[in-house]
Amino acid sequence: VDFEDDLRAGDDELDYMRSISFRPNDRSGSLEGIPFVVKDAICVEGVETSAGSEILEGYKPVFNAAVVERLESSGAVFHGKTQQDEFGFGSFCTNCAHGTPRNPHDTSRVTGGSSGGAAAVCAATDKDVLSIGESTGGSITNPAAYNGVFGLTPTYGRVPRTGLVSYSNSLDKIGVLSSSLDLVAQGLEVVSGKDSGDQTSADRQVPEFSRESVPESLTVGVPTQLEQVDLEQPVRNNFEASLSRLENLGHDVERVDIPLLDPDVCVAAYYVMAVSEASTNLARFCGMRYGAEGNPGDHDDFNEYFSHVRGEKLGNEAKRRIILGTYARMAGYRDDFYVRAAKVRRKLIDQVEEAFDRYDLLAAPSMPGVAPTFEEAQDMSASETYAMDALTVGPNLAGVPQLSVPNGEGDGMPTGLQLIGPHWGEKLLIDTARQLSSE
Ligand code: GLN
């Protein structure tokens, strides 16, 4: 109940909740009584699920996403949905149809995106809340770092996407954010594992993420390609302090070359792939099947109706991505763009896997700077904004897990350390973060 009061206050002041709907749950389990919230793109039965878009206004799913079903079966209590960039398109949570969340650390600054509301809600309350986010190219790491909370993006396939409004199916991952690392571990344990509704979810045993073990003498690689990114001074200082801390804990820190982790290559390959898949995914929003509807009788034919509804209801960034993605998939261009990006991704996966033959973990800053102010964010062009994802798109393309760990402040704003693990290596990320965060 206390927590609900926080949510209400926050709703007025910070706008990080898209909707508040408390759903009592008397089931018992490992998460009994724990409040949870989900990113708006994740379906909750009977609760408007708009993925931050006007075009889905009024859409109330008739089923729960697999993760929601699993959380409720473990006794967790649904408290509402969090704000996000429209369909996940953004790095600042400023492309939202229903209000723009502000950073609880400084309300003149953004929360990060696209799971901005998901991270901000954790930072805004001192209660332990489990927040379910989604990342395609950094949307958990980014807001986790900007809000000073833990954010775990699992291995692709670890958590089923059943009931997620897709952005880019071959990249989308549902993950967990919280100010409590224990809750991240417990939450991940509950939501992980094969679901028959998602053919890409992996039939693998789920480790006991919440069982503590202390990692000993790890070899941590710092990819030189990520070190070349222009970093703000506080981010650089805190990153160096984190590396020293790892060394003091008895781990080795070394530089490693992973040529395709080059930010320019990754940003380009990621955006080609993501917008291509997004442009096909959005085709289903035509003003007939889900959410917003117009009056087809007012138009000459279906195409005109379809264009009208989409013209009215989709935001500018969504339109930009539909145009870019459709172009990249056109006969004649397909091989130069989508297929090429897919080849880069395949090779990147090989190079990253090779690095993990030698290194237990990789480390990099989570974001190049602290959360920008709304003015700063507004002054950035689309390509400048895309470049902010320099540190996060590579690991996402490779499908490996990442954990953003709060590692200090600069100008009163939090910064994050990004620990990157091999495929299925979430347990080691959690154990290392626990060791780093202990006194
Ligand atoms: N900023 C990236 C994009 O706009 C990442 C978004 C995401 O992970 N959903 O595509």
Side-chain angles (χ1 to χ4, degrees):
V1 177
D2 279 359
F3 176 64
E4 242 192 315
D5 289 346
D6 282 353
L7 287 184
R8 289 193 191 288
D11 190 41
D12 296 339
E13 290 166 15
L14 300 168
D15 243 354
Y16 49 73
M17 294 301 291
R18 160 81 172 102
S19 64
I20 296 168
S21 37
F22 178 67
R23 195 150 80 178
N25 184 3
D26 56 13
R27 277 175 278 186
S28 50
S30 61
L31 294 175
E32 202 170 322
I34 300 289
F36 79 97
V37 292
V38 302
K39 184 172 180 175
D40 194 23
I42 296 171
C43 288
V44 180
E45 188 182 344
V47 178
E48 191 177 63
T49 294
S50 68
S53 181
E54 244 183 88
I55 207 158
L56 270 171
E57 262 171 15
Y59 170 59
K60 291 189 178 165
V62 292
F63 65 100
N64 282 324
V67 292
V68 171
E69 205 59 50
R70 288 176 181 182
L71 290 167
E72 291 197 322
S73 299
S74 301
V77 185
F78 176 67
H79 276 67
K81 310 201 76 183
T82 54
Q83 296 277 27
Q84 64 164 93
D85 283 302
E86 183 172 18
F87 294 112
F89 304 156
S91 303
F92 301 133
C93 230
T94 47
N95 300 328
C96 313
H98 308 103
T100 303
R102 287 179 282 152
N103 196 304
H105 294 272
D106 173 352
T107 54
S108 70
R109 291 177 186 269
V110 305
T111 55
S114 64
S115 311
V121 66
C122 300
T125 170
D126 54 11
K127 310 288 177 322
D128 283 348
V129 50
L130 187 59
S131 185
I132 304 299
E134 175 277 337
S135 165
T136 310
S139 281
I140 291 177
T141 299
N142 159 335
Y146 282 178
N147 291 275
V149 303
F150 293 96
L152 196 146
T153 313
T155 310
Y156 183 80
R158 172 71 87 188
V159 178
R161 293 177 293 118
T162 320
L164 168 72
V165 178
S166 293
Y167 165 0
S168 174
N169 314 44
S170 75
L171 295 164
D172 294 347
K173 310 193 251 184
I174 292 181
V176 185
L177 301 96
S178 182
S179 325
S180 152
L181 183 60
D182 288 336
L183 215 44
V184 167
Q186 287 168 26
L188 185 68
E189 214 165 285
V190 165
V191 297
S192 293
K194 175 88 185 155
D195 178 72
S196 58
D198 172 9
Q199 296 307 312
T200 62
S201 65
D203 198 1
R204 285 184 78 97
Q205 209 213 328
V206 178
E208 281 179 83
F209 295 119
S210 55
R211 188 177 43 82
E212 291 187 27
S213 42
V214 180
E216 275 172 48
S217 41
L218 303 174
T219 312
V220 180
V222 177
T224 49
Q225 285 70 18
L226 298 185
E227 270 197 317
Q228 283 154 18
V229 172
D230 219 0
L231 301 178
E232 285 176 15
Q233 203 52 43
V235 170
R236 189 171 290 284
N237 295 347
N238 295 347
F239 180 58
E240 275 160 19
S242 293
L243 296 182
S244 307
R245 171 119 175 98
L246 281 167
E247 286 175 330
N248 293 338
L249 289 164
H251 306 306
D252 277 337
V253 176
E254 292 173 15
R255 263 56 193 177
V256 50
D257 248 337
I258 307 179
L260 280 176
L261 213 49
D262 180 297
D264 290 341
V265 173
C266 288
V267 170
Y270 166 79
Y271 274 97
V272 166
M273 186 149 261
V275 299
S276 298
E277 294 186 17
S279 67
T280 71
N281 274 322
L282 296 190
R284 66 175 67 101
F285 304 119
C286 60
M288 290 219 161
R289 285 192 254 171
Y290 310 93
E293 282 173 18
N295 190 356
D298 291 349
H299 302 272
D300 289 342
D301 56 32
F302 174 71
N303 280 343
E304 218 192 82
Y305 169 69
F306 172 100
S307 309
H308 173 80
V309 173
R310 287 161 68 90
E312 294 263 293
K313 301 289 183 186
L314 289 172
N316 286 341
E317 187 59 27
K319 288 176 185 161
R320 186 191 333 267
R321 293 184 186 213
I322 290 171
I323 293 168
L324 283 172
T326 308
Y327 179 83
R329 289 185 296 107
M330 262 159 62
Y333 294 122
R334 202 176 147 264
D335 290 351
D336 283 343
F337 294 109
Y338 187 77
V339 173
R340 198 150 160 221
K343 286 182 183 163
V344 169
R345 171 163 71 175
R346 177 64 256 172
K347 288 202 164 152
L348 172 68
I349 294 172
D350 292 343
Q351 289 185 3
V352 168
E353 282 181 343
E354 208 178 292
F356 281 118
D357 288 342
R358 248 194 77 108
Y359 298 92
D360 299 296
L361 292 178
L362 301 177
S366 295
M367 289 300 283
V370 299
T373 62
F374 286 100
E375 272 171 24
E376 287 164 344
Q378 206 172 12
D379 286 345
M380 285 185 210
S381 66
S383 45
E384 281 166 345
T385 306
Y386 299 168
M388 298 299 283
D389 298 336
L391 297 164
T392 51
V393 285
N396 276 275
L397 273 176
V400 291
Q402 312 119 60
L403 177 56
S404 184
V405 183
N407 73 340
E409 291 196 347
D411 309 327
M413 293 303 291
T415 61
L417 167 73
Q418 181 184 199
L419 294 175
I420 305 162
H423 291 117
W424 316 110
E426 293 88 350
K427 175 84 170 72
L428 183 60
L429 295 180
I430 294 168
D431 286 335
T432 310
R434 190 181 285 117
Q435 193 185 34
L436 274 172
S437 312
S438 61
E439 289 309 310

